[in-house]
Amino acid sequence: MAFELPDLPYAQDALAEHGMSKETLEFHHGLHHKAYVDNGNKTIAGTEWEGKSLDSIVTGSYQSGAVAQNGVFNNASQHWNHCQFWEMMGPGNSSMPSELESRIKDAFGSTDSFKEQFVAAGVGQFGSGWCWLVANAGGELEITKTENGVNPLCFGQTALLGCDIWEHSYYIDFRNKRPAYISNFLDNLVNWENVAQRLG
Ligand code: MN3
């Protein structure tokens, strides 16, 4: 099944008043994500990966570790990451559902402490990557950071929330201010209903 660029689940200008401009989404969804889709399809054509599910391409190519397959992994994982990322945001100013809030308080002490630790993880990732709230294999919540396209699927974790900390995600709106971008993401952009649904 070929990769396809999904439509955004909201209008391109829907997040502008929440700190993610139409211009950012034009570039980030329309050009960057599309490039992962197009390059992924070129890289996978005619290989053992063609016809496999996106999840199995991500985990299989990561585990294989073969240098020749880096293009497969990088494009497939970034396609998966961005599909999640668009769904994890919304224009609705959602509040945290109570079950998610209590799980976060149990794991991190308070929602403020969770946010501080999430921002610190994102700021602490040197270079491009992602920071995540995951449920680990034991079902416990953890904050993690990953480089480039690596994601929680690679470690058997469930991605509850992911923040893209490649510069293309924030440079138009926040210039070099990654901490402000991540704080704004948590305070104004996250669709917490979507995050809670991922708890299963
Ligand atoms: Mn990106």
Side-chain angles (χ1 to χ4, degrees):
M1 186 170 60
F3 299 165
E4 282 181 31
L5 183 68
D7 289 337
L8 288 172
Y10 30 75
Q12 262 185 339
D13 61 357
L15 304 182
E17 64 182 298
H18 304 285
M20 187 171 281
S21 63
K22 182 181 180 191
E23 187 182 4
T24 287
L25 286 171
E26 283 171 350
F27 276 82
H28 197 178
H29 173 261
L31 297 175
H32 289 281
H33 188 175
K34 185 172 189 300
Y36 298 127
V37 168
D38 292 345
N39 291 329
N41 283 329
K42 279 184 213 156
T43 310
I44 284 163
T47 73
E48 63 186 293
W49 306 107
E50 194 167 15
K52 296 222 166 108
S53 73
L54 178 58
D55 284 28
S56 61
I57 295 170
V58 171
T59 54
S61 62
Y62 184 74
Q63 285 158 8
S64 77
V67 172
Q69 293 182 332
N70 277 354
V72 173
F73 174 75
N74 288 337
N75 287 295
S77 65
Q78 282 289 73
H79 175 40
W80 188 92
N81 291 344
H82 288 84
C83 289
Q84 313 305 313
F85 185 56
W86 311 132
E87 299 284 341
M88 288 163 172
M89 297 187 288
N93 273 330
S94 79
S95 55
M96 218 180 260
S98 56
E99 188 198 339
L100 175 64
E101 188 172 10
S102 70
R103 292 284 303 274
I104 282 178
K105 283 180 176 164
D106 287 348
F108 307 107
S110 67
T111 52
D112 283 348
S113 175
F114 157 69
K115 288 182 178 180
E116 282 169 22
Q117 291 177 52
F118 191 91
V119 173
V123 171
Q125 171 57 39
F126 185 77
S128 296
W130 294 73
C131 56
W132 306 91
L133 172 67
V134 304
N136 66 23
E140 295 161 334
L141 301 198
E142 282 181 28
I143 292 167
T144 68
K145 59 188 167 78
T146 57
E147 61 181 6
N148 299 321
V150 178
N151 66 40
L153 281 185
C154 302
F155 311 109
Q157 302 161 337
T158 301
L160 304 176
L161 179 64
C163 184
D164 188 339
I165 49 175
W166 288 55
E167 280 186 351
H168 65 224
S169 192
Y170 59 88
Y171 215 82
I172 291 170
D173 299 318
F174 289 89
R175 295 303 173 193
N176 61 332
K177 297 182 179 63
R178 189 192 282 185
Y181 156 74
I182 304 171
S183 291
N184 180 70
F185 172 80
L186 291 171
D187 289 338
N188 299 311
L189 284 166
V190 173
N191 176 353
W192 294 106
E193 304 280 345
N194 182 276
V195 178
Q197 283 165 15
R198 294 163 185 269
L199 277 172

